[in-house]
Amino acid sequence: MFNICICDDSKFFLQELSDKLHRIAQKYDINICIQTYMTSQQLMFDIEELCMNVDLFFLDVLIDKMTGVEIADCLRKQGTEVPIVFLTSSKEHVFDALEVMPLHYLIKEEVQNQKIEEILLKARDIVKHFKVKKFHYKVGRELRVISIEDIVYFEVMNRVISIQSLKGEEDRFYSTLDTIEKQISKGQFIRVHRSFLVNVSYIEKIESKEIVCRNNIRIPVGASYTKSLKEEYTTYLLEHQ
């Protein structure tokens, strides 16, 4: 699912842009979900959840008390790196937007289907690239990011997830392994136990009741996971030989 957020004070424009995005997504077989806001207050109320889930933002530069640039600055400070497109009726504020590194700056009266198509496809490619490489999670009210390649394994205990990094660092947050498996790309991690999800690239040896990872990290293997572990690990080896 590719999640899009549009914030604009014109109900007509929200519907028009949403319709265009849906038609383009259907053309390229992209499964999208669009969430719309007509005020900055509404968006800011949901900002933490949006930072966790949205893949592309369209923000009206002059929406109300807050500008789209100010909203974008808050999004960046929350840790999101996803593409942002500014919507405006003039080019007056284009330089104000440069600090938040927008993907594009659209003049509303000049919005054409071809330009929207280019933006959607480019944003999809950008997000696909860094989603594979980054894992986002929330500790309290803080959004954190870690490179996938730095994670050796996830462990869960009483709904508390521990991330063990290659550097020996550990961080904790509330979630489930089932939820994490949906967030990461298939084939990157293997479920070896009801409490462990392991980065397949760091597995060095599979023994009868445990696996040995880099730095001699030993992780137990659940009896019900043994068969799938061997199958998935063999597939990984064949694909990366």
Side-chain angles (χ1 to χ4, degrees), residues 2 26 29 39 61 64 74 76 118 120 142 148 171 199 201 214-215 218-219:
F2 191 84
Q26 186 174 19
D29 195 27
T39 70
V61 170
D64 47 43
C74 291
R76 292 293 188 237
E118 291 174 4
L120 179 59
E142 180 184 353
I148 289 290
D171 208 356
N199 189 330
S201 64
R214 191 177 298 184
N215 297 337
R218 294 179 174 269
I219 297 172

Side-chain angles (χ1 to χ4, degrees), residues 69 72-73 76-77 84 86 93-102:
V69 177
D73 186 53
R76 292 293 188 237
K77 287 178 179 177
I84 295 173
F86 287 112
H93 299 273
V94 64
F95 292 108
D96 298 334
L98 296 180
E99 289 188 5
V100 293
M101 299 175 64

Side-chain angles (χ1 to χ4, degrees), residues 3-238:
N3 297 306
I4 300 172
C5 173
I6 310 173
C7 186
D8 193 278
D9 57 3
S10 168
K11 188 174 182 179
F12 173 80
F13 184 80
L14 283 175
Q15 188 61 54
E16 181 184 33
L17 182 56
S18 296
D19 290 344
K20 287 181 178 180
L21 286 166
H22 277 298
R23 285 195 294 270
I24 294 166
Q26 186 174 19
K27 175 182 176 181
Y28 289 94
D29 195 27
I30 303 172
N31 191 14
I32 67 170
C33 176
I34 299 176
Q35 193 165 350
T36 61
Y37 295 88
M38 291 188 67
T39 70
S40 62
Q41 292 94 327
Q42 292 173 337
L43 186 150
M44 292 301 292
F45 184 79
D46 292 338
I47 190 168
E48 292 180 7
E49 182 179 349
L50 294 173
C51 284
M52 295 283 286
N53 300 313
V54 171
D55 300 305
L56 172 62
F57 286 91
F58 286 89
L59 303 176
D60 186 3
V61 170
L62 299 176
I63 184 164
D64 47 43
K65 294 179 181 179
M66 287 187 74
T67 67
V69 177
E70 290 171 330
I71 295 173
D73 186 53
C74 291
L75 292 170
R76 292 293 188 237
K77 287 178 179 177
Q78 285 280 335
T80 184
E81 302 173 3
V82 301
I84 295 173
V85 176
F86 287 112
L87 307 165
T88 186
S89 298
S90 73
K91 298 180 180 178
E92 181 182 352
H93 299 273
V94 64
F95 292 108
D96 298 334
L98 296 180
E99 289 188 5
V100 293
M101 299 175 64
L103 175 65
H104 213 284
Y105 202 97
L106 286 177
I107 307 299
K108 292 183 183 180
E109 290 74 15
E110 300 175 5
V111 173
Q112 301 295 324
N113 286 343
Q114 183 179 352
K115 182 56 65 176
I116 298 297
E117 184 173 310
E118 291 174 4
I119 289 172
L120 179 59
L121 296 179
K122 185 175 181 179
R124 180 195 60 178
D125 292 341
I126 291 172
V127 170
K128 186 186 297 184
H129 175 73
F130 74 69
K131 265 193 170 180
V132 171
K133 297 182 177 296
K134 302 287 186 180
F135 176 75
H136 296 74
Y137 60 103
K138 192 162 68 171
V139 178
R141 299 179 65 85
E142 180 184 353
L143 183 66
R144 297 184 183 178
V145 182
I146 184 172
S147 295
I148 289 290
E149 63 183 18
D150 289 339
I151 302 172
V152 179
Y153 65 84
F154 295 95
E155 179 184 5
V156 66
M157 184 176 294
N158 298 325
R159 293 201 78 251
V160 176
I161 298 289
S162 295
I163 300 180
Q164 185 67 45
S165 77
L166 193 61
K167 299 175 183 177
E169 299 171 346
E170 186 177 0
D171 208 356
R172 296 178 180 178
F173 63 100
Y174 286 102
S175 188
T176 66
L177 290 185
D178 289 339
T179 300
I180 292 172
E181 283 185 288
K182 293 175 183 177
Q183 288 180 250
I184 56 182
S185 298
K186 186 175 178 61
Q188 286 184 297
F189 285 76
I190 298 178
R191 189 77 170 263
V192 302
H193 188 279
R194 62 191 178 94
S195 300
F196 289 91
L197 186 62
V198 180
N199 189 330
V200 64
S201 64
Y202 292 134
I203 297 176
E204 295 187 340
K205 188 192 305 182
I206 298 178
E207 298 182 347
S208 58
K209 294 185 179 180
E210 64 181 8
I211 59 172
V212 181
C213 297
R214 191 177 298 184
N215 297 337
N216 201 36
I217 296 173
R218 294 179 174 269
I219 297 172
V221 175
S224 60
Y225 294 90
T226 302
K227 182 180 179 181
S228 60
L229 165 62
K230 291 180 178 178
E231 290 175 350
E232 291 181 50
Y233 187 59
T234 298
T235 299
Y236 169 81
L237 292 177
L238 291 173

